[in-house]
Amino acid sequence: MKISEQWLKEWVSHTLATEDLAHQITMAGLEVDAIEPVAGAFSSVVVGEIIDAQQHPDADKLRICKVNVGEPEPLQIVCGAPNARVSLKAPVALVGAVLPGDFKIKKSKLRGVESFGMLCAEAELELSEASDGLMELPDDAPVGTDLRDYLGLDDNSIEIGLTPNRADCLSVRGIAREVSVLTGVELQEPTWASVSTEASTQIGVEVVATEACPVYAARIIEGVDNSLESPLWLQERLRRCGLRSKDPLVDVTNFVMLELGQPMHAFDANKLSGPIVVRMAQPQESMTLLDGKEISLPEDALLITDQAGPIAFAGVMGGQRSAVSSETRAVVLESAFFTPRALAGQARKQGMHTDASHRYERGVDFELAELALDRATQLIVEIAGGHAGPVTVARSQNDLPDRGDVSLSQASLSRALGLEIPKSEVSHILSGLGFGVNEISNGWSCSVPSWRFDISIEADLVEEVARVYGYNKLPVSKIVANLEMPVRPEKAVSPSRIRRYLASRDLREVITYSFVDPKLAEQFADLNQCVTLKNPISEDLSVMRPSLVPSLVATAITNINRQQSRVRIFEQGLTFTAGEDYPQEAKVAILLSGKAESERMGNRSGNVDFYDLKGEVEALLNQLGIRHATYVPAEHQGLHPGQTADVLVDGAIVGYVGKIHPQTQKTLGLSQAAYVAELDRDVLSSADIAQFASVSKFPEVRRDLAVVVDAAVKVGDLTASAKAALGMLGKEVFVFDIYQGQGVPEGQKSVAMGLTLGDQSRTLSDSDVNDAMAQVVESLKETYQAELR
């Protein structure tokens, strides 16, 4: 929010220096981001009038002007501006003047003709970034007057960075209210004569969506002349607040928005068809906005319409069909209250952000609509002429925000601030901010003003008192607490331990938003089970992630698109599911893609596969003492059904590993195969405690075994059966080869296993080993019809 310091002083005539004012505002929670002068540094620039302009004899684009600057004799100034003409009043830099950039004006000759000064454009005085010619001053500008005094250029634009909860300060009125209570200077709201109704034409208004639009006020003003130029004072007010002048109707609505905080809109009355109807958008409805952009309207969009269709995207931007122009002679002024919830995110869905949407999303004073309409009418009639018709107001009292009283106890205030503020001072602070204050036995009961949408509980009132009283006045004391060190179970595993281990395995940690693109989320989860945000940061971050996998995939795509083809990343974080209290689960996820090892001589060639990922998961589980995990084939949305498995610990599913499905990969624009795993962090956070086991003094025996079994037999089941058949002698069973092809019947496969046998008390004899191997073969034959190869 940009505000002119001079304009603010008209409301609160304080005597603070600019820096002191900025400090007080900042300390009260309205952070001042910048202070900029409204014009460049210049001197000896006065109002001049061109009384004669002749063509330069030696230059087609130059004119020799005689300029009256209030001195006995006019000055001769050579000027090349296209709008230099007789009777034009413009700024004149006299000889000896200094313009911005330390540019000094001297007597000079241009193509042999002497020039005693310089006629100035706005850009040359740093009143604008660019200009097409001389700055044109009003016809009644007093000749010879110092331009800085005439325009009041000894002023500053103060830019305030407001937090979303302080929409009440998005106007001069709101900031003046704050400055008044901070400085103790009385607030002086401007007064204006109410415009009399001189025309009988009345606009009809019907509000269908009363919940989204509880108040809608409108009136017709006939006989306006929008081809006129806005007065200089109005243009300057807008410029100093960061807005450009366009025409009287638009300038007045912008002025009232800046002055009172009420966004308004003007429709060309002759372009409307029938009464105004405020309703929600219909299916597949569209409209063309003022900027020429055609948009498709979602069904939750609020519209201002006539009988022919939409004329405005409510609270965001008007439509092109009903736009005012220089030919406009009758105007319909709109002033309304739209509920913040109804407008939240509507502009962002269309990739837009306007001054009106910025205010309506945060909350506009719901008692301001008619006052602002009256103020705008008065200014339009004064500037552009016309006759005002009667005001039409549609009000749904039941749909207005409920403003219940909020109580503040003196004990709570003293406990929160660490000191006792006199009761009278608290009452003065709250009443100065617009609260209706009623002192009760133990504190205060306050009615909340219509412009404060951020006040609902006692703590809010404590904050108001503290920031106005002054945070710097609050006592400073050391925090005292009885700290009890929590008992940490030996089995507990901290997230940092998981992080450090995965990082040690050449995996990079990423930290992503908890919000994801719904198009990405639906590739891996049912959107109906996802938590959808009502007011997202942006449309592509509107769903709470149902899994860490979408975030990792998006990160992988970003890296791969930037020539980082070898991606090894992991993340720890929360996932979210729709339902009662929105359940959250802590997860650990891993993604591998690209080369198995970096391209160096001696390193393994080829890309990662399913078993690389499974190896990373097993390594993590083993590190945490979980050595009894098993894997069973599974299907998960977005993953390849033939290369996906659930991870089970003690028979319970604790996660999954798998390959991104080729179709999903293509849809997302992922240029290479990727493998993902996701595990419950709660399972990983409770590792098995390591137990001592002595190393056997006796040698172990390794035997290899290859069997032919049906292709459908799971390798894990084979190894489990073999391990069980070995009994106490079995130390380890693993698969080192699987073969299908020549020499193996069709529909079957050869599985080669390595078996390690040993005993803690003796050396195994050949007969012990042979008997154990025979038991294994017999068990596999009986269970899986396995045949030795």
Side-chain angles (χ1 to χ4, degrees):
M1 173 67 188
K2 263 190 174 182
I3 184 172
S4 161
E5 188 178 9
Q6 282 185 2
W7 195 2
L8 180 63
K9 281 187 176 181
E10 292 180 10
W11 287 71
V12 183
S13 56
H14 64 87
T15 57
L16 294 175
T18 305
E19 290 74 17
D20 294 335
L21 173 65
H23 177 72
Q24 281 216 21
I25 293 175
T26 299
M27 293 303 294
L30 311 179
E31 185 176 359
V32 174
D33 290 337
I35 301 173
E36 298 177 350
V38 300
F42 61 83
S43 60
S44 298
V45 178
V46 299
V47 176
E49 181 180 9
I50 300 176
I51 58 178
D52 184 54
Q54 302 294 329
Q55 185 67 43
H56 193 293
D58 297 324
D60 294 339
K61 294 185 178 181
L62 296 180
R63 289 181 177 83
I64 303 172
C65 301
K66 298 292 184 180
V67 184
N68 178 14
V69 292
E71 296 180 356
E73 295 293 329
L75 300 178
Q76 177 175 287
I77 299 176
V78 180
C79 178
N83 62 334
R85 63 184 184 274
V86 175
S87 76
L88 173 68
K89 289 187 176 180
V92 179
L94 305 175
V95 173
V98 179
L99 299 187
D102 199 29
F103 180 69
K104 297 179 181 179
I105 303 300
K106 301 177 182 178
K107 175 183 173 182
S108 61
K109 279 188 178 183
L110 293 175
R111 294 291 183 94
V113 178
E114 289 187 316
S115 182
F116 300 89
M118 174 178 156
L119 287 160
C120 300
E122 291 172 304
E124 292 164 337
L125 302 176
E126 293 187 357
L127 293 173
S128 70
E129 293 183 359
S131 50
D132 297 328
L134 300 179
M135 180 180 181
E136 300 193 14
L137 299 175
D139 294 339
D140 60 356
V143 172
T145 302
D146 186 279
L147 187 71
R148 298 195 76 89
D149 295 336
Y150 173 63
L151 295 180
L153 296 179
D154 293 324
D155 186 16
N156 293 295
S157 284
I158 302 174
E159 185 172 355
I160 303 174
L162 296 173
T163 51
N165 64 312
R166 293 309 307 272
D168 60 296
C169 289
L170 286 167
S171 65
V172 177
R173 185 191 198 194
I175 296 173
R177 190 186 297 119
E178 293 284 316
V179 173
S180 173
V181 73
L182 290 171
T183 60
V185 178
E186 184 179 355
L187 181 67
Q188 298 173 336
E189 295 202 21
T191 57
W192 56 86
S194 184
V195 177
S196 58
T197 301
E198 298 178 356
S200 59
T201 308
Q202 187 171 10
I203 185 71
V205 173
E206 179 188 0
V207 179
V208 178
T210 56
E211 186 177 344
C213 178
V215 180
Y216 191 92
R219 84 183 323 163
I220 294 179
I221 306 175
E222 299 176 331
V224 299
D225 185 359
N226 200 38
S227 64
L228 299 173
E229 187 175 359
S230 296
L232 188 60
W233 69 265
L234 177 54
Q235 294 183 41
E236 276 294 293
R237 286 281 163 87
L238 295 177
R239 181 183 72 83
R240 298 178 193 191
C241 293
L243 298 180
R244 291 192 306 170
S245 173
K246 184 177 180 183
D247 57 55
L249 294 177
V250 173
D251 290 352
V252 165
T253 56
N254 283 335
F255 176 85
V256 173
M257 178 184 69
L258 293 172
E259 182 183 50
L260 302 180
Q262 173 68 56
M264 302 184 69
H265 189 67
F267 304 103
D268 190 320
N270 294 324
K271 295 178 181 178
L272 299 184
S273 174
I276 287 176
V277 179
V278 184
R279 60 170 173 80
M280 306 306 292
Q282 297 171 353
Q284 298 181 338
E285 195 164 16
S286 63
M287 69 175 295
T288 302
L289 300 174
L290 281 173
D291 59 3
K293 178 182 178 182
E294 185 173 353
I295 61 171
S296 297
L297 297 160
E299 293 185 24
D300 60 346
L302 183 65
L303 300 181
I304 313 300
T305 69
D306 63 3
Q307 297 305 305
I311 57 175
F313 187 4
V316 180
M317 186 180 288
Q320 193 176 69
R321 178 167 66 86
S322 58
V324 297
S325 65
S326 58
E327 286 79 32
T328 297
R329 293 297 176 264
V331 63
V332 174
L333 272 186
E334 165 196 275
S335 182
F337 169 69
F338 305 120
T339 58
R341 177 169 291 184
L343 264 67
Q346 291 296 337
R348 285 195 296 277
K349 287 179 182 178
Q350 303 295 339
M352 301 165 60
H353 181 270
T354 63
D355 289 326
S357 67
H358 185 79
R359 286 164 171 79
Y360 277 125
E361 286 180 344
R362 288 156 174 78
V364 171
D365 185 351
F366 56 82
E367 293 182 355
L368 188 58
E370 294 169 70
L371 176 69
L373 187 62
D374 192 52
R375 173 61 162 158
T377 303
Q378 175 256 328
L379 289 170
I380 289 174
V381 172
E382 179 184 308
I383 295 168
H387 309 286
V391 177
T392 303
V393 181
R395 183 187 299 272
S396 175
Q397 197 67 36
N398 292 335
D399 291 307
L400 288 172
D402 183 20
R403 282 289 188 267
D405 290 352
V406 180
S407 297
L408 172 63
S409 74
Q410 194 162 22
S412 297
L413 181 64
S414 300
R415 183 172 60 253
L417 303 187
L419 82 165
E420 189 165 327
I421 301 176
K423 205 167 185 179
S424 58
E425 188 168 355
V426 174
S427 298
H428 173 73
I429 289 172
L430 294 175
S431 59
L433 292 172
F435 293 89
V437 181
N438 179 30
E439 292 192 13
I440 55 180
S441 59
N442 64 336
W444 303 264
S445 177
C446 301
S447 59
V448 181
S450 55
W451 56 83
R452 292 303 294 268
F453 286 77
D454 59 324
I455 306 296
S456 58
I457 58 176
E458 183 181 53
D460 297 329
L461 294 179
V462 172
E463 179 188 1
E464 293 299 295
V465 174
R467 68 182 186 82
V468 175
Y469 178 78
Y471 292 121
N472 56 327
K473 297 180 183 177
L474 301 180
V476 177
S477 58
K478 294 181 180 180
I479 297 176
V480 178
N482 294 322
L483 300 179
E484 294 183 6
M485 300 303 291
V487 177
R488 181 178 176 184
E490 189 177 354
K491 296 177 67 173
V493 176
S494 67
S496 61
R497 179 180 169 187
I498 298 173
R499 181 182 301 114
R500 288 194 303 270
Y501 182 72
L502 291 176
S504 72
R505 294 189 62 83
D506 194 27
L507 289 159
R508 303 290 181 91
E509 183 182 21
V510 299
I511 300 175
T512 62
Y513 285 119
S514 295
F515 323 117
V516 295
D517 190 329
K519 295 178 182 178
L520 180 61
E522 69 180 352
Q523 296 296 321
F524 299 97
D526 181 359
L527 275 183
N528 294 325
Q529 300 298 318
C530 296
V531 180
T532 302
L533 301 176
K534 292 184 177 179
N535 188 19
I537 298 172
S538 64
E539 193 62 24
D540 59 352
L541 292 174
S542 60
V543 171
M544 301 293 286
R545 61 187 179 194
S547 160
L548 297 182
V549 169
S551 301
L552 289 186
V553 170
T555 303
I557 293 172
T558 300
N559 281 272
I560 292 169
N561 290 344
R562 286 159 178 76
Q563 300 179 327
Q564 301 297 318
S565 59
R566 184 172 184 261
V567 179
R568 295 172 59 84
I569 55 179
F570 75 93
E571 182 174 13
Q572 297 186 81
L574 295 175
T575 61
F576 307 86
T577 309
E580 188 177 353
D581 298 328
Y582 300 102
Q584 303 177 33
E585 293 183 274
K587 302 282 188 179
V588 178
I590 300 172
L591 182 145
L592 305 182
S593 182
K595 295 289 184 182
E597 295 184 16
S598 57
E599 294 187 72
R600 298 289 186 273
M601 187 173 67
N603 281 1
R604 168 188 162 194
S605 62
N607 295 329
V608 293
D609 56 23
F610 176 87
Y611 297 103
D612 289 298
L613 177 66
K614 180 171 176 283
E616 295 296 342
V617 171
E618 287 185 335
L620 175 61
L621 295 175
N622 288 336
Q623 170 68 15
L624 302 179
I626 303 173
R627 296 181 174 85
H628 44 280
T630 56
Y631 302 83
V632 296
E635 293 187 11
H636 288 269
Q637 187 170 330
L639 301 184
H640 196 301
Q643 297 190 48
T644 301
D646 283 335
V647 183
L648 281 69
V649 174
D650 295 331
I653 298 175
V654 299
Y656 60 87
V657 293
K659 179 184 180 182
I660 302 292
H661 195 287
Q663 183 59 49
T664 304
Q665 181 182 327
K666 181 179 179 181
T667 301
L668 297 177
L670 185 59
S671 60
Q672 61 190 41
Y675 299 84
V676 294
E678 186 173 60
L679 302 169
D680 291 339
R681 198 172 71 191
D682 289 344
V683 175
L684 303 181
S685 298
S686 181
D688 290 342
I689 299 174
Q691 296 182 350
F692 171 77
S694 61
V695 178
S696 176
K697 299 177 182 179
F698 305 98
E700 295 177 342
V701 178
R702 159 76 183 268
R703 291 290 173 89
D704 293 342
L705 179 67
V707 294
V708 177
V709 295
D710 189 274
V713 174
K714 298 174 184 177
V715 172
D717 293 341
L718 282 178
T719 57
S721 293
K723 184 79 179 289
L726 290 175
M728 297 296 294
L729 299 181
K731 298 299 182 182
E732 184 181 17
V733 178
F734 63 92
V735 174
F736 62 83
D737 184 51
I738 299 176
Y739 172 73
Q740 286 179 289
Q742 187 177 359
V744 176
E746 186 175 351
Q748 294 188 313
K749 61 185 175 183
S750 171
V751 180
M753 295 179 286
L755 295 83
T756 304
L757 297 79
D759 193 289
Q760 289 288 104
S761 61
R762 62 191 177 89
T763 299
L764 297 178
S765 64
D766 287 342
S767 61
D768 293 331
V769 175
N770 292 336
D771 289 345
M773 292 300 294
Q775 290 176 15
V776 171
V777 172
E778 185 63 28
S779 173
L780 296 180
K781 183 175 182 180
E782 181 180 341
T783 308
Y784 304 106
Q785 292 75 50
E787 297 291 339
L788 281 174
R789 186 176 174 208

